[in-house]
Amino acid sequence: ARLRSQAGYMAEAVPDGDGFLLIENHCPICRAAAACTGLCRQELEVFRAALGREVVIKRTDHILGGARRCAYSIHSEKL
């Protein structure tokens, strides 16, 4: 969350059961992402690559889908 905030996403990590929710309250690339939705898909893939195969990441909120933020549920695959 700290790294994402430094990149302009106003991010926070909130405990969520056995995992956490990564919340991005701002999207500095929103206009570009609206024109090229592949950017959002790549963001999710970068998170998956960075956190490893034993972690499950699902987008739960998406600004381009009408939500006020982007959020990702992150937890161990063993759940």
Side-chain angles (χ1 to χ4, degrees), residues 29-65:
I29 64 162
C30 196
R31 285 189 181 181
C36 179
T37 57
L39 289 173
C40 294
R41 194 169 34 256
Q42 286 292 12
E43 177 182 60
L44 190 53
E45 291 306 315
V46 166
F47 290 161
R48 288 180 175 142
L51 296 174
R53 294 182 183 191
E54 56 280 341
V55 175
V56 176
I57 305 170
K58 296 180 184 174
R59 183 183 288 124
T60 60
D61 296 296
H62 195 206
I63 291 171
L64 293 182

